[in-house]
Amino acid sequence: MGADHVGERLPALLRAVRDSDHPVLWICDPMHGNTYQHESGYKTATSTT
Amino acid sequence: MREVHGFFAACDDAGVWPGGVHVELTGENVTECLGGSEAVLGDELEQRYESECDPRLNARQSLDLAFPDRRTAPPLTAAADRVTGHISFPTRRPWSVTRFEELGPNSGLVEELYQRYLENPSSVDEHWRTYFAGETPPPNGERIPVAASVAPTPRPGPLVLEGDEPAPLRGAAARTVENMEASLTVPTATSVRAMPAKLLEVNRQILNNHLARSGAGKVSFTHLIAFAVLRALAEFPVLNSSYGEEDGKPVVVRHHHVNLGLAVDVRRRDGSHLLLVRA
Protein backbone atom coordinates (compact mmCIF):
# COMPACT_ATOMS: atom_id res chain seq x y z
CA MET A 1 0.00 0.00 0.00
CA GLY A 2 2.85 2.33 0.79
CA ALA A 3 3.63 4.30 3.90
CA ASP A 4 2.28 7.50 2.32
CA HIS A 5 -1.15 6.01 1.69
CA VAL A 6 -1.75 3.73 4.63
CA GLY A 7 -3.13 6.51 6.81
CA GLU A 8 -5.70 7.76 4.29
CA ARG A 9 -6.75 4.58 2.49
CA LEU A 10 -6.50 1.71 4.97
CA PRO A 11 -9.08 2.89 7.56
CA ALA A 12 -11.91 3.00 4.98
CA LEU A 13 -10.93 -0.46 3.67
CA LEU A 14 -10.82 -1.92 7.16
CA ARG A 15 -14.24 -0.51 8.01
CA ALA A 16 -15.84 -1.66 4.74
CA VAL A 17 -14.59 -5.23 5.15
CA ARG A 18 -15.46 -5.25 8.83
CA ASP A 19 -19.02 -4.09 8.11
CA SER A 20 -19.43 -6.75 5.42
CA ASP A 21 -18.83 -9.36 8.17
CA HIS A 22 -16.56 -11.26 5.81
CA PRO A 23 -13.95 -13.13 7.88
CA VAL A 24 -10.46 -11.84 7.06
CA LEU A 25 -7.06 -11.58 8.69
CA TRP A 26 -5.20 -8.34 8.03
CA ILE A 27 -1.49 -8.57 7.44
CA CYS A 28 0.88 -5.64 7.03
CA ASP A 29 3.56 -6.05 4.34
CA PRO A 30 5.70 -2.94 4.75
CA MET A 31 8.50 -4.13 2.47
CA HIS A 32 6.29 -3.88 -0.59
CA GLY A 33 4.97 -0.63 -1.93
CA ASN A 34 7.83 1.18 -0.24
CA THR A 35 10.70 0.26 -2.50
CA TYR A 36 12.30 2.57 -5.00
CA GLN A 37 15.23 2.58 -7.33
CA HIS A 38 18.29 4.20 -5.80
CA GLU A 39 20.36 6.33 -8.16
CA SER A 40 22.97 3.55 -8.14
CA GLY A 41 20.41 1.30 -9.84
CA TYR A 42 19.69 -0.92 -6.84
CA LYS A 43 16.13 -1.57 -5.76
CA THR A 44 16.00 -0.59 -2.12
CA ALA A 45 13.81 0.57 0.76
CA THR A 46 14.48 2.82 3.70
CA SER A 47 14.10 0.88 6.94
CA THR A 48 13.72 3.85 9.26
CA THR A 49 10.86 5.75 7.61
CA MET B 1 8.51 1.97 9.36
CA ARG B 2 5.61 4.37 9.11
CA GLU B 3 3.55 1.78 7.27
CA VAL B 4 3.66 -0.59 10.24
CA HIS B 5 2.62 2.15 12.62
CA GLY B 6 -0.11 3.32 10.23
CA PHE B 7 -1.35 -0.27 9.98
CA PHE B 8 -1.60 -0.71 13.74
CA ALA B 9 -3.20 2.70 14.18
CA ALA B 10 -5.81 2.03 11.48
CA CYS B 11 -6.62 -1.43 12.91
CA ASP B 12 -6.97 0.11 16.34
CA ASP B 13 -9.36 2.79 15.07
CA ALA B 14 -11.53 0.28 13.19
CA GLY B 15 -11.51 -2.22 16.05
CA VAL B 16 -9.98 -4.82 13.72
CA TRP B 17 -7.45 -7.42 14.83
CA PRO B 18 -3.98 -6.70 13.39
CA GLY B 19 -3.11 -10.16 12.10
CA GLY B 20 0.60 -9.81 11.54
CA VAL B 21 3.49 -8.17 9.81
CA HIS B 22 5.26 -9.70 6.83
CA VAL B 23 8.85 -8.66 6.19
CA GLU B 24 11.76 -9.88 4.12
CA LEU B 25 14.79 -10.07 6.38
CA THR B 26 18.05 -11.90 6.89
CA GLY B 27 20.46 -12.41 9.77
CA GLU B 28 23.30 -11.42 7.48
CA ASN B 29 24.76 -7.94 7.39
CA VAL B 30 23.67 -7.24 3.85
CA THR B 31 23.27 -3.77 2.41
CA GLU B 32 19.95 -3.97 0.62
CA CYS B 33 17.78 -1.55 2.59
CA LEU B 34 18.89 1.90 3.64
CA GLY B 35 18.96 3.30 7.15
CA GLY B 36 18.80 1.52 10.48
CA SER B 37 20.56 2.16 13.75
CA GLU B 38 23.81 1.22 12.02
CA ALA B 39 22.77 3.17 9.00
CA VAL B 40 23.37 1.78 5.54
CA LEU B 41 24.04 4.69 3.23
CA GLY B 42 23.13 4.97 -0.43
CA ASP B 43 26.64 4.49 -1.76
CA GLU B 44 27.04 1.35 0.38
CA LEU B 45 24.25 -0.58 -1.36
CA GLU B 46 26.67 -2.22 -3.77
CA GLN B 47 28.86 -3.62 -0.96
CA ARG B 48 26.63 -6.55 -0.07
CA TYR B 49 23.52 -6.51 -2.21
CA GLU B 50 22.91 -10.25 -2.38
CA SER B 51 19.16 -10.52 -2.87
CA GLU B 52 18.08 -11.97 -6.21
CA CYS B 53 14.80 -10.10 -6.08
CA ASP B 54 13.50 -7.83 -3.32
CA PRO B 55 15.69 -5.99 -0.82
CA ARG B 56 15.75 -7.48 2.69
CA LEU B 57 16.29 -5.91 6.10
CA ASN B 58 19.69 -6.85 7.47
CA ALA B 59 20.28 -8.17 11.00
CA ARG B 60 20.44 -4.77 12.64
CA GLN B 61 17.49 -3.31 10.75
CA SER B 62 15.42 -6.37 11.66
CA LEU B 63 16.24 -5.90 15.33
CA ASP B 64 15.32 -2.23 15.00
CA LEU B 65 11.90 -3.29 13.77
CA ALA B 66 11.39 -6.05 16.35
CA PHE B 67 12.74 -4.06 19.29
CA PRO B 68 12.03 -0.43 18.48
CA ASP B 69 13.99 2.09 20.47
CA ARG B 70 11.34 3.67 22.66
CA ARG B 71 13.36 6.84 22.91
CA THR B 72 13.18 7.58 19.19
CA ALA B 73 10.42 5.44 17.70
CA PRO B 74 6.85 6.74 17.80
CA PRO B 75 4.91 5.00 20.58
CA LEU B 76 3.13 1.87 19.47
CA THR B 77 -0.61 2.10 19.55
CA ALA B 78 -2.82 0.12 21.88
CA ALA B 79 -3.38 -2.43 19.10
CA ALA B 80 0.32 -3.04 18.62
CA ASP B 81 0.80 -3.37 22.35
CA ARG B 82 -1.95 -5.98 22.39
CA VAL B 83 -0.07 -7.98 19.80
CA THR B 84 3.37 -7.59 21.28
CA GLY B 85 1.90 -8.41 24.67
CA HIS B 86 1.27 -11.93 23.38
CA ILE B 87 4.83 -12.42 22.24
CA SER B 88 7.44 -13.32 24.79
CA PHE B 89 10.57 -11.68 23.50
CA PRO B 90 13.72 -13.56 24.43
CA THR B 91 15.82 -11.61 26.87
CA ARG B 92 18.87 -12.51 24.84
CA ARG B 93 19.20 -11.54 21.24
CA PRO B 94 18.33 -14.58 19.11
CA TRP B 95 21.52 -14.30 17.16
CA SER B 96 24.76 -12.56 17.53
CA VAL B 97 25.14 -9.50 15.37
CA THR B 98 28.39 -9.79 13.51
CA ARG B 99 29.83 -6.50 14.71
CA PHE B 100 32.60 -8.39 16.51
CA GLU B 101 33.12 -10.94 13.76
CA GLU B 102 36.83 -10.16 13.68
CA LEU B 103 37.20 -11.60 17.18
CA GLY B 104 36.33 -15.03 15.82
CA PRO B 105 34.89 -17.55 18.28
CA ASN B 106 34.89 -14.90 21.01
CA SER B 107 32.48 -12.67 19.12
CA GLY B 108 29.49 -14.12 20.99
CA LEU B 109 31.02 -13.25 24.32
CA VAL B 110 32.06 -9.81 23.24
CA GLU B 111 28.61 -9.19 21.80
CA GLU B 112 27.11 -10.23 25.13
CA LEU B 113 29.40 -7.83 26.98
CA TYR B 114 28.50 -5.17 24.45
CA GLN B 115 24.78 -5.63 25.09
CA ARG B 116 25.45 -5.25 28.80
CA TYR B 117 27.51 -2.17 28.03
CA LEU B 118 24.64 -0.68 25.99
CA GLU B 119 22.18 -1.27 28.82
CA ASN B 120 24.48 -0.02 31.53
CA PRO B 121 28.01 1.11 30.67
CA SER B 122 29.17 0.77 34.26
CA SER B 123 28.25 -2.95 34.32
CA VAL B 124 31.33 -3.85 32.29
CA ASP B 125 34.99 -3.54 33.09
CA GLU B 126 36.63 -0.20 32.37
CA HIS B 127 38.83 -1.77 29.67
CA TRP B 128 35.75 -2.94 27.83
CA ARG B 129 34.09 0.46 28.23
CA THR B 130 37.06 2.06 26.57
CA TYR B 131 37.00 -0.59 23.88
CA PHE B 132 33.30 -0.22 23.15
CA ALA B 133 33.53 3.54 23.20
CA GLY B 134 35.39 3.13 19.92
CA GLU B 135 38.81 3.72 21.38
CA THR B 136 41.70 1.85 19.85
CA PRO B 137 43.28 0.10 22.86
CA PRO B 138 41.78 -3.36 23.40
CA PRO B 139 41.11 -4.65 26.92
CA ASN B 140 44.05 -4.31 29.30
CA GLY B 141 45.55 -1.86 26.84
CA GLU B 142 47.83 -4.69 25.84
CA ARG B 143 48.99 -4.95 22.29
CA ILE B 144 51.59 -7.61 21.92
CA PRO B 145 52.90 -8.15 18.43
CA VAL B 146 52.86 -11.88 17.68
CA ALA B 147 56.23 -11.83 16.00
CA ALA B 148 58.04 -11.07 19.24
CA SER B 149 61.66 -10.13 19.20
CA VAL B 150 64.07 -13.00 19.88
CA ALA B 151 66.35 -10.81 21.98
CA PRO B 152 66.20 -12.03 25.58
CA THR B 153 64.56 -9.47 27.82
CA PRO B 154 65.81 -8.77 31.35
CA ARG B 155 64.19 -11.46 33.41
CA PRO B 156 62.38 -10.52 36.61
CA GLY B 157 62.96 -12.62 39.69
CA PRO B 158 60.91 -15.78 40.07
CA LEU B 159 57.27 -15.22 40.88
CA VAL B 160 56.89 -16.69 44.34
CA LEU B 161 53.48 -16.62 45.93
CA GLU B 162 52.47 -17.73 49.38
CA GLY B 163 53.05 -21.46 49.73
CA ASP B 164 55.40 -21.67 46.74
CA GLU B 165 58.84 -23.12 47.40
CA PRO B 166 61.78 -22.28 45.18
CA ALA B 167 63.90 -25.44 44.93
CA PRO B 168 67.49 -25.32 43.63
CA LEU B 169 68.20 -27.23 40.42
CA ARG B 170 71.09 -29.69 40.55
CA GLY B 171 72.72 -32.32 38.41
CA ALA B 172 71.19 -32.98 35.03
CA ALA B 173 68.56 -30.25 35.55
CA ALA B 174 71.29 -27.71 36.19
CA ARG B 175 73.07 -28.78 32.98
CA THR B 176 69.82 -28.35 31.09
CA VAL B 177 69.56 -24.83 32.47
CA GLU B 178 73.01 -23.99 31.12
CA ASN B 179 72.05 -25.23 27.68
CA MET B 180 68.72 -23.43 27.80
CA GLU B 181 70.42 -20.18 28.79
CA ALA B 182 72.79 -20.60 25.85
CA SER B 183 69.83 -21.19 23.55
CA LEU B 184 68.37 -17.78 24.40
CA THR B 185 70.88 -16.14 22.11
CA VAL B 186 69.95 -18.43 19.22
CA PRO B 187 67.20 -17.19 16.89
CA THR B 188 64.01 -19.13 17.44
CA ALA B 189 61.22 -20.33 15.21
CA THR B 190 57.57 -20.66 16.12
CA SER B 191 55.91 -23.95 15.39
CA VAL B 192 52.23 -23.94 14.49
CA ARG B 193 50.19 -27.10 14.24
CA ALA B 194 46.71 -27.52 12.87
CA MET B 195 44.61 -29.87 14.97
CA PRO B 196 41.35 -31.49 13.92
CA ALA B 197 38.63 -29.82 15.98
CA LYS B 198 35.48 -31.15 14.37
CA LEU B 199 34.46 -33.05 17.49
CA LEU B 200 35.15 -29.97 19.60
CA GLU B 201 32.91 -27.93 17.32
CA VAL B 202 30.11 -30.48 17.41
CA ASN B 203 30.24 -30.83 21.18
CA ARG B 204 30.31 -27.08 21.58
CA GLN B 205 27.17 -26.84 19.46
CA ILE B 206 25.45 -29.46 21.64
CA LEU B 207 26.48 -27.57 24.78
CA ASN B 208 25.26 -24.28 23.37
CA ASN B 209 21.95 -25.74 22.24
CA HIS B 210 21.43 -26.98 25.75
CA LEU B 211 22.48 -23.65 27.27
CA ALA B 212 20.18 -21.79 24.88
CA ARG B 213 17.23 -23.89 26.04
CA SER B 214 17.99 -23.15 29.67
CA GLY B 215 18.47 -19.47 28.93
CA ALA B 216 22.11 -19.48 29.94
CA GLY B 217 25.05 -18.01 28.04
CA LYS B 218 27.33 -19.45 25.41
CA VAL B 219 30.43 -21.56 25.51
CA SER B 220 33.29 -20.27 23.41
CA PHE B 221 36.36 -22.19 22.29
CA THR B 222 38.31 -20.07 24.75
CA HIS B 223 36.21 -21.49 27.58
CA LEU B 224 36.78 -25.04 26.39
CA ILE B 225 40.51 -24.55 25.94
CA ALA B 226 40.81 -22.96 29.38
CA PHE B 227 38.87 -25.87 30.86
CA ALA B 228 41.09 -28.40 29.11
CA VAL B 229 44.24 -26.59 30.26
CA LEU B 230 43.06 -26.64 33.87
CA ARG B 231 42.09 -30.31 33.69
CA ALA B 232 45.52 -31.12 32.26
CA LEU B 233 47.13 -29.06 35.00
CA ALA B 234 45.27 -31.04 37.66
CA GLU B 235 46.55 -34.24 36.08
CA PHE B 236 50.11 -32.98 35.59
CA PRO B 237 50.66 -30.47 38.42
CA VAL B 238 54.39 -30.48 37.65
CA LEU B 239 53.59 -28.23 34.68
CA ASN B 240 52.59 -25.49 37.09
CA SER B 241 56.13 -24.43 37.85
CA SER B 242 58.42 -21.73 36.67
CA TYR B 243 62.11 -21.14 36.38
CA GLY B 244 64.05 -18.41 38.05
CA GLU B 245 67.32 -17.48 39.63
CA GLU B 246 67.97 -16.97 43.29
CA ASP B 247 71.37 -15.72 44.46
CA GLY B 248 72.65 -16.49 40.96
CA LYS B 249 71.60 -20.13 41.25
CA PRO B 250 68.92 -21.64 39.03
CA VAL B 251 65.79 -22.62 40.89
CA VAL B 252 62.49 -24.14 39.97
CA VAL B 253 59.36 -22.82 41.68
CA ARG B 254 56.49 -25.23 42.12
CA HIS B 255 53.37 -23.09 42.23
CA HIS B 256 50.43 -23.83 44.42
CA HIS B 257 48.21 -21.22 42.80
CA VAL B 258 46.80 -21.03 39.33
CA ASN B 259 46.18 -17.72 37.57
CA LEU B 260 45.06 -18.49 34.07
CA GLY B 261 45.09 -15.97 31.25
CA LEU B 262 44.52 -16.78 27.60
CA ALA B 263 45.61 -14.57 24.75
CA VAL B 264 43.61 -14.76 21.55
CA ASP B 265 45.30 -14.25 18.22
CA VAL B 266 43.26 -11.52 16.56
CA ARG B 267 43.62 -10.49 12.96
CA ARG B 268 43.05 -6.78 12.55
CA ARG B 269 41.47 -5.23 9.48
CA ASP B 270 44.85 -4.23 8.15
CA GLY B 271 45.97 -7.88 8.28
CA SER B 272 48.33 -7.59 11.22
CA HIS B 273 48.03 -9.90 14.22
CA LEU B 274 47.53 -9.01 17.84
CA LEU B 275 47.33 -11.05 20.98
CA LEU B 276 44.20 -9.94 22.75
CA VAL B 277 44.21 -10.73 26.46
CA ARG B 278 40.75 -10.98 27.86
CA ALA B 279 40.20 -9.48 31.27
Side-chain angles (χ1 to χ4, degrees):
Chain A
M1 181 163 277
D4 292 333
H5 307 300
V6 71
E8 63 184 83
R9 294 183 191 167
L10 186 61
L13 264 173
L14 291 177
R15 276 192 294 274
V17 176
R18 180 194 64 193
D19 296 340
S20 76
D21 282 335
H22 199 78
V24 294
L25 185 66
W26 292 97
I27 302 282
C28 175
D29 183 353
M31 304 289 289
H32 291 128
N34 292 309
T35 56
Y36 55 93
Q37 185 139 0
H38 185 257
E39 59 195 37
S40 60
Y42 287 100
K43 180 182 180 182
T44 188
T46 304
S47 70
T48 31
T49 59
Chain B
M1 282 286 155
R2 281 182 299 128
E3 173 137 12
V4 178
H5 287 281
F7 169 71
F8 280 118
C11 285
D12 206 26
D13 283 348
V16 167
W17 183 258
V21 178
H22 167 103
V23 284
E24 282 80 22
L25 62 84
T26 169
E28 303 283 310
N29 270 349
V30 298
T31 58
E32 296 170 8
C33 288
L34 300 176
S37 58
E38 276 174 25
V40 174
L41 305 175
D43 56 359
E44 294 172 334
L45 282 175
E46 62 177 9
Q47 288 177 6
R48 281 194 69 182
Y49 196 100
E50 296 173 2
S51 174
E52 297 291 334
C53 47
D54 288 331
R56 302 163 297 172
L57 299 176
N58 66 21
R60 179 59 72 172
Q61 290 161 344
S62 305
L63 287 172
D64 292 342
L65 178 64
F67 305 92
D69 186 340
R70 300 262 169 166
R71 288 166 303 182
T72 54
L76 290 176
T77 66
D81 276 340
R82 270 208 314 280
V83 173
T84 52
H86 288 274
I87 305 168
S88 59
F89 287 122
T91 50
R92 286 170 190 284
R93 300 294 164 99
W95 63 82
S96 166
V97 185
T98 53
R99 174 200 290 266
F100 301 108
E101 208 165 38
E102 62 188 77
L103 297 181
N106 270 340
S107 58
L109 274 168
V110 180
E111 177 64 29
E112 216 173 283
L113 280 168
Y114 184 60
Q115 293 304 337
R116 269 167 51 193
Y117 165 79
L118 287 182
E119 279 162 28
N120 177 11
S122 61
S123 69
V124 300
D125 191 81
E126 191 193 328
H127 300 304
W128 286 107
R129 269 204 302 283
T130 318
Y131 184 62
F132 291 140
E135 298 289 331
T136 37
N140 291 355
E142 289 182 46
R143 285 197 162 202
I144 308 162
V146 170
S149 152
V150 293
T153 46
R155 189 184 301 134
L159 175 72
V160 183
L161 296 173
E162 193 192 336
D164 293 344
E165 288 273 320
L169 291 167
R170 298 197 181 87
R175 293 286 304 165
T176 308
V177 167
E178 277 173 35
N179 292 333
M180 294 291 280
E181 290 287 355
S183 77
L184 289 177
T185 55
V186 179
T188 56
T190 304
S191 142
V192 177
R193 284 174 182 76
M195 288 169 59
K198 180 72 183 162
L199 187 64
L200 188 64
E201 262 180 67
V202 171
N203 282 336
R204 175 172 172 266
Q205 192 58 53
I206 293 171
L207 281 172
N208 279 339
N209 286 345
H210 175 75
L211 288 173
R213 276 194 298 276
S214 50
K218 272 184 178 175
V219 170
S220 75
F221 287 112
T222 316
H223 287 137
L224 294 174
I225 291 167
F227 182 69
V229 167
L230 290 173
R231 287 290 291 267
L233 209 50
E235 204 158 322
F236 301 97
V238 70
L239 284 172
N240 189 19
S241 47
S242 62
Y243 167 78
E245 277 174 24
E246 215 174 54
D247 306 326
K249 294 275 199 299
V251 291
V252 60
V253 185
R254 308 273 182 220
H255 297 288
H256 293 269
H257 306 268
V258 177
N259 289 306
L260 183 69
L262 282 181
V264 180
D265 185 5
V266 176
R267 195 193 301 264
R268 307 295 302 177
R269 280 202 188 82
D270 62 10
S272 67
H273 285 264
L274 287 174
L275 286 180
L276 186 67
V277 181
R278 284 175 43 77

